[in-house]
Amino acid sequence: MVSSQVESFDPASMRGVTGSGRVYELRGRPGWNADAEHTWRGWMRVNEVVEYADVTASLVERRDSGLATKE
């Protein structure tokens, strides 16, 4: 899945909300997919993205270790 910048994220529910109000939920383990990679590269080119950070693995690790709790 490719989205615009996530403005808020709840690590307990693994849900993020973008600036447009779309809600995305991370499920399962992180992985790689050729179609997603193609879409991501195209989106970055069109939007002139020069820097980004993929934090999926660290969020899943935090969730799985029990560090993500609702406050």
Side-chain angles (χ1 to χ4, degrees):
M1 177 63 67
V2 176
S3 78
S4 56
Q5 181 173 327
V6 175
E7 300 292 332
S8 65
F9 187 79
D10 176 9
S13 67
M14 299 298 282
R15 290 184 181 156
V17 182
T18 66
S20 66
R22 290 184 184 227
V23 178
Y24 293 93
E25 181 177 353
L26 299 176
R27 295 183 185 173
R29 305 299 306 169
W32 183 85
N33 177 279
D35 290 336
E37 183 71 19
H38 174 75
T39 302
W40 173 241
R41 296 289 174 195
W43 187 91
M44 286 195 312
R45 187 174 50 259
V46 167
N47 290 282
E48 300 177 348
V49 173
V50 294
E51 184 177 331
Y52 72 94
D54 181 350
V55 297
T56 306
S58 63
L59 292 170
V60 170
E61 182 179 321
R62 183 175 176 188
R63 178 200 63 195
D64 292 350
S65 69
L67 295 175
T69 57
K70 286 200 176 207
E71 298 178 8

